[in-house]
Amino acid sequence: MKTIKLEIDGQQVETAGGTTILEAARKAGSDIPTVCYDKRLPPYGACRLCMVEIDKGGEKRLVASCAYEAEDGLVVRTETPRIVKIRKMILELLLAVSATGPLEALAKRYGLKESRFQGDQPKCLLCGLCVRYCAEIKKNNVTCFIGRGIGKEVVFQSDLSHSLCPVCRECIPLCPSGTLYSLYLKGYSGSPEPGSNKGL
Ligand code: SF4
Ligand code: FES
């Protein structure tokens, strides 16, 4: 496999062709925050927290590092003032619907005490981790998205969830918003009323 040479945060890095910037940067010690990334799943590009600045032959732009493959000669900066500003804005929006777990840790890291935006908590961030994990790793397809735009939500397909969720529940610790854990604490067993899908 071809070896790619690039610069990440001032360091010369070599990585295998096909590696994403996120993977190469993490290996080189750069701590890029992510919410919708899971190394077992294909990139999804939902949260945009992994945004980095790339310089390609003098042309600078921002890219989602979880989805952008490393290229020869690329200069990557993972935490510039511009990136920090964008991440803080994204984080504020995410914190409005969940301020626990990984988001709480990221708020501390970026010095955010509270969000200017308010919302019911915890609420689904639409990161897609539960849907993708259930479909691609477990091959169960119990969870899926319905709707579009602001009407988009995750639902459990009741006919499948009744039998499959109680013996799995592997999506619960994956959920960065704590929504699935909160449902679990409320006694939701993955067995909603027959025939009715359960929106989160
Ligand atoms: S329920 Fe949790 S894991 Fe599933 S899409 Fe929403 S935030 Fe992500
Ligand atoms: S981790 Fe890259 S967009 Fe969410």
Side-chain angles (χ1 to χ4, degrees), residues 39 43 62-63 71 85 93 96 100-101 103 117 148 169 200:
K39 64 179 177 208
L62 296 170
V63 297
E71 291 170 4
K85 196 173 167 191
L93 292 165
T100 57
L103 294 170
F117 312 107
R148 303 180 72 169
R169 294 187 177 136
L200 303 182

Side-chain angles (χ1 to χ4, degrees), residues 17-30:
T19 307
T20 62
I21 290 178
L22 176 68
E23 291 162 339
R26 284 192 167 168
K27 221 167 145 195
S30 297

Side-chain angles (χ1 to χ4, degrees), residues 7-197:
E7 183 187 308
I8 302 178
D9 291 335
Q11 260 192 87
Q12 296 305 314
V13 172
E14 288 192 11
T15 190
T19 307
T20 62
I21 290 178
L22 176 68
E23 291 162 339
R26 284 192 167 168
K27 221 167 145 195
S30 297
D31 186 12
I32 300 175
T34 58
V35 164
C36 70
Y37 172 76
D38 184 310
K39 64 179 177 208
R40 296 166 293 182
L41 297 166
Y44 191 57
C47 73
R48 316 310 280 181
L49 276 173
C50 69
M51 198 79 81
V52 296
E53 197 172 278
I54 60 166
D55 185 332
K56 196 174 174 180
E59 189 203 325
K60 287 186 186 168
R61 62 192 173 106
L62 296 170
V63 297
S65 64
C66 69
Y68 197 99
E69 282 186 13
E71 291 170 4
D72 269 327
L74 218 56
V75 177
V76 181
R77 291 181 189 87
T78 68
E79 189 113 343
T80 62
R82 183 183 179 205
I83 292 167
V84 169
K85 196 173 167 191
I86 293 169
R87 279 193 194 139
K88 280 173 126 173
M89 176 51 76
I90 295 171
L91 262 178
E92 272 201 77
L93 292 165
L94 295 176
L95 287 167
V97 288
S98 175
T100 57
L103 294 170
E104 187 181 20
L106 285 171
K108 271 194 194 133
R109 170 173 165 182
Y110 287 100
L112 280 171
K113 290 204 168 42
E114 57 184 26
S115 171
R116 281 168 291 172
F117 312 107
Q118 300 298 321
D120 297 335
Q121 299 215 9
K123 219 171 164 196
C124 175
L125 305 171
L126 301 176
C127 73
L129 280 172
C130 58
V131 174
R132 293 180 289 137
Y133 184 83
C134 191
E136 289 166 42
I137 308 273
K138 300 298 293 186
K139 312 283 183 207
N140 282 338
N141 294 296
V142 171
T143 50
C144 63
F145 284 118
I146 59 163
R148 303 180 72 169
I150 57 164
K152 189 172 177 179
E153 62 179 338
V154 172
V155 295
F156 282 74
Q157 301 195 65
S158 52
D159 47 341
L160 296 173
S161 65
H162 185 76
S163 57
L164 296 172
C165 295
V167 293
C168 174
R169 294 187 177 136
E170 289 173 28
C171 59
I172 294 174
L174 293 180
C175 175
S177 67
T179 313
L180 297 179
Y181 186 58
S182 160
L183 279 180
Y184 172 69
L185 290 181
K186 284 179 190 156
Y188 173 63
S189 65
S191 316
E193 291 297 305
S196 70
N197 283 346

